[in-house]
Amino acid sequence: MNKVMKQLFSRKSFVISLAILLFFVIISIFANYLTPYTNPYSFNQEYVATPYSPPQWATIFPQYSGLPPTYNNLLSSSQPQFVKNGTVSYAQVGSSKLSVYMKGSGSFLNVSYPFSYDGSKYKEAPSSFTITFSYLPKGVNSTEVQLNVYLIHGNKTFFISSYVPPTYTLLFFYPVCTINMDSLNNIYISSQSLTYSNSPFVNSLSGSARYEGAFVIPSLIFKGEPSSYKLMVSIVDLSGQPINVTMTKPSLHTQGYLFGIMGTDFRGSSVFAEFVLGARFDLELSVITAVVIVAIGLIVGLVAGYKGGKTDLTLNSITDFFLTIPTLPLFIVLESMLVATGLVLDINIVVLLFLLIALLSWMATMKVIRSATLTLRGRTFVEASRALGGGSFHIIMKHLIPNILGIIVAQIAYDVPTVILIESGIDFLGLGITSFPTWGNMLGYASHEVAASNGFVWWWILPPGLGIILLSVAFYFIGTSLRDVLSPYKTRGEI
């Protein structure tokens, strides 16, 4: 074994290929730790940044310098500032909750969270922002309380949203949203959903800006301004009755035009998440399928090569028949018939892909195994075993398989790229997996949507393309090295 390992590691192509393979294996194993997203194509995990955002490191190129990055939780290190009026008491519960008690009409507590956004160095304002927190108001006598949210910069105050109980909505001259008493309210404010009918700030705008709130709000608040800002939450007692409020610390998220290691696609989804999850899926599917392909080819090839005669003729003819049929077009036709026509309802599309690829890709492996078996079945050690009474099963297991083990392992390595290319081709055409990221459908979506991006979205196209090439080449050279080093002639010292 040491001699085999020395021979393998003496080959630069094997070492480099093994390093590439280990890289993809590692990112596949730790995919769930490398990215917080489990399926970037799902509705609640897309739009993590502006669509077509380049990677954050792309600012080294002049055309991307000055673009604002995407920030998550800008308030993470901020300390709240409190201003109160009337009968108000409050206490922080842990590091993330605030408990407030107030009594008296007009009493209020303003809680401000300072944060920095250095908009002066960016050419663009963020495309959008979101504010989220939980809010639980409790009135001892079913009393009412108002919640207001502001963004403050210097002497400018932007009155973003206001929430009151349903019975109070007609008492204000600016638009308000409703909130439920005595129950937990998950506040979610997105600049994209703000209009003149739900935001006091948008309602105060004039002209076309009033009707384009979602598009102009980020630029009115952030663009070109110095870095000091505040997010202020104001709690106001409307009835004068005792009120208890529990509130979590707000989170502020801005979506810029740069994102992460690999940017975003046309959905605004993380390309890095798609890449690592696609690598894991492609590796798992290709390796498992390649093992099944080789198992089928091994059984058919061994039987044909060892039995010979009519058995060999029949099996070889069947194999030749399948070899004459173009695999990819046949695969597309079968997959389309079974999926598009609904003939297969209870089989997962992944399982269907696995079965079709395995059943249509074993022929080349069978030919290789058959040829190797034909050369071995007449060797002296096989004849000697047969003369001593060894049965077919004993000869195959004891003498044939050990001698073609190198070919089997190498063939698995050779078949992995085949599976990757077939699966990627099907996904690229939109006939395979579309609801979960794979390298194939990443390229497919990129090719379909690249026209809309008005440019070459290299951070979206290159990763899956390079992944397919590198992984396929790595498996090919690993297979070649294994075939050469584990060749039965070489291991027996015959050459």
Side-chain angles (χ1 to χ4, degrees):
M1 182 59 71
N2 289 335
K3 183 181 177 182
V4 172
M5 297 302 291
K6 284 182 180 178
Q7 290 179 349
L8 285 174
F9 282 95
S10 66
R11 294 166 176 257
K12 291 182 180 177
S13 61
F14 177 82
V15 175
I16 295 173
S17 299
L18 189 63
I20 293 172
L21 178 58
L22 284 176
F23 168 76
F24 285 111
V25 169
I26 290 172
I27 66 171
S28 300
I29 293 173
F30 295 102
N32 290 340
Y33 300 98
L34 294 173
T35 172
Y37 311 108
T38 56
N39 183 3
Y41 291 176
S42 64
F43 175 75
N44 60 350
Q45 294 184 22
E46 63 181 5
Y47 211 81
V48 297
T50 307
Y52 304 112
S53 293
Q56 286 192 228
W57 55 266
T59 52
I60 60 176
F61 302 113
Q63 64 268 38
Y64 304 122
S65 63
L67 293 179
T70 294
Y71 286 109
N72 289 310
N73 198 5
L74 284 172
L75 310 176
S76 59
S77 60
S78 61
Q79 295 296 323
Q81 300 169 355
F82 299 93
V83 176
K84 65 178 184 177
N85 182 57
T87 304
V88 178
S89 61
Y90 58 89
Q92 295 198 68
V93 182
S95 58
S96 61
K97 286 187 179 180
L98 178 68
S99 178
V100 181
Y101 171 83
M102 60 178 57
K103 180 183 178 182
S105 181
S107 298
F108 67 83
L109 175 67
N110 294 340
V111 190
S112 300
Y113 299 87
F115 65 94
S116 296
Y117 184 86
D118 196 1
S120 60
K121 69 178 183 180
Y122 301 136
K123 291 186 298 186
E124 304 282 346
S127 64
S128 64
F129 64 84
T130 57
I131 300 168
T132 56
F133 58 96
S134 296
Y135 180 76
L136 175 59
K138 287 187 176 181
V140 176
N141 296 314
S142 298
T143 53
E144 318 293 2
V145 63
Q146 183 182 16
L147 173 70
N148 297 322
V149 179
Y150 304 85
L151 280 171
I152 301 173
H153 167 247
N155 59 357
K156 297 179 182 178
T157 299
F158 306 95
F159 190 2
I160 302 299
S161 291
S162 180
Y163 298 86
V164 296
T167 54
Y168 279 70
T169 55
L170 298 178
L171 300 181
F172 300 89
F173 62 89
Y174 48 77
V176 294
C177 303
T178 58
I179 200 169
N180 297 318
M181 291 294 294
D182 300 323
S183 61
L184 184 65
N185 298 271
N186 292 315
I187 307 297
Y188 179 83
I189 303 171
S190 170
S191 62
Q192 293 185 319
S193 62
L194 296 179
T195 66
Y196 64 87
S197 63
N198 62 19
S199 171
F201 173 55
V202 180
N203 187 57
S204 68
L205 299 175
S206 59
S208 61
R210 188 165 182 262
Y211 300 97
E212 300 172 354
F215 303 100
V216 301
I217 289 175
S219 60
L220 293 175
I221 296 177
F222 290 102
K223 185 178 180 181
E225 300 290 353
S227 59
S228 178
Y229 288 82
K230 289 181 181 178
L231 170 65
M232 186 174 81
V233 177
S234 179
I235 304 168
V236 183
D237 187 346
L238 296 175
S239 65
Q241 297 299 317
I243 294 171
N244 287 308
V245 173
T246 302
M247 185 183 75
T248 61
K249 183 179 180 180
S251 295
L252 176 61
H253 170 82
T254 64
Q255 291 188 331
Y257 293 91
L258 298 169
F259 182 79
I261 301 174
M262 293 183 179
T264 62
D265 63 7
F266 73 111
R267 296 183 176 93
S269 302
S270 169
V271 174
F272 177 73
E274 296 172 12
F275 179 76
V276 297
L277 294 172
R280 182 175 64 183
F281 175 81
D282 279 22
L283 263 179
E284 290 176 347
L285 179 71
S286 59
V287 171
I288 294 173
T289 309
V291 170
V292 175
I293 289 172
V294 172
I296 298 173
L298 174 65
I299 294 171
V300 180
L302 274 173
V303 172
Y306 181 75
K307 290 293 185 182
K310 292 183 179 178
T311 303
D312 181 29
L313 182 63
T314 303
L315 294 176
N316 204 34
S317 298
I318 294 173
T319 306
D320 288 338
F321 170 75
F322 280 102
L323 280 174
T324 59
I325 301 175
T327 304
L328 187 58
L330 177 61
F331 188 94
I332 292 172
V333 170
L334 289 175
E335 198 273 346
S336 300
M337 287 177 57
L338 295 173
V339 175
T341 62
L343 293 177
V344 177
L345 299 176
D346 297 329
I347 298 182
N348 185 280
I349 182 66
V350 178
V351 177
L352 182 63
L353 284 173
F354 161 75
L355 292 175
L356 287 178
I357 295 175
L359 293 175
L360 296 177
S361 305
W362 54 269
M363 293 78 74
T365 304
M366 179 272 180
K367 288 287 187 180
V368 173
I369 300 296
R370 173 181 173 272
S371 298
T373 306
L374 285 173
T375 63
L376 289 170
R377 71 172 187 174
R379 302 295 291 256
T380 53
F381 60 91
V382 176
E383 293 292 342
S385 180
R386 188 179 293 118
L388 292 172
S392 298
F393 184 77
H394 170 78
I395 294 173
I396 289 174
M397 298 301 294
K398 187 71 176 180
H399 300 292
L400 296 186
I401 289 181
N403 277 285
I404 61 173
L405 190 60
I407 296 175
I408 295 172
V409 176
Q411 202 60 38
I412 292 175
Y414 284 141
D415 284 336
V416 168
T418 302
V419 177
I420 291 176
L421 292 176
I422 293 176
E423 188 272 331
S424 298
I426 295 298
D427 290 348
F428 176 84
L429 295 174
L431 299 173
I433 299 166
T434 57
S435 59
F436 184 83
T438 68
W439 287 347
N441 63 34
M442 285 177 69
L443 288 173
Y445 285 128
S447 67
H448 294 151
E449 303 295 334
V450 71
S453 68
N454 196 27
F456 175 52
V457 190
W458 52 267
W459 57 88
W460 185 16
I461 296 174
L462 290 182
L466 290 175
I468 292 172
I469 294 172
L470 289 174
L471 201 55
S472 299
V473 171
F475 270 107
Y476 173 79
F477 281 109
I478 288 173
T480 301
S481 300
L482 290 171
R483 183 198 60 191
D484 293 344
V485 173
L486 297 177
S487 165
Y489 304 105
K490 200 162 187 174
T491 54
R492 289 198 300 268
E494 298 179 10
I495 57 173

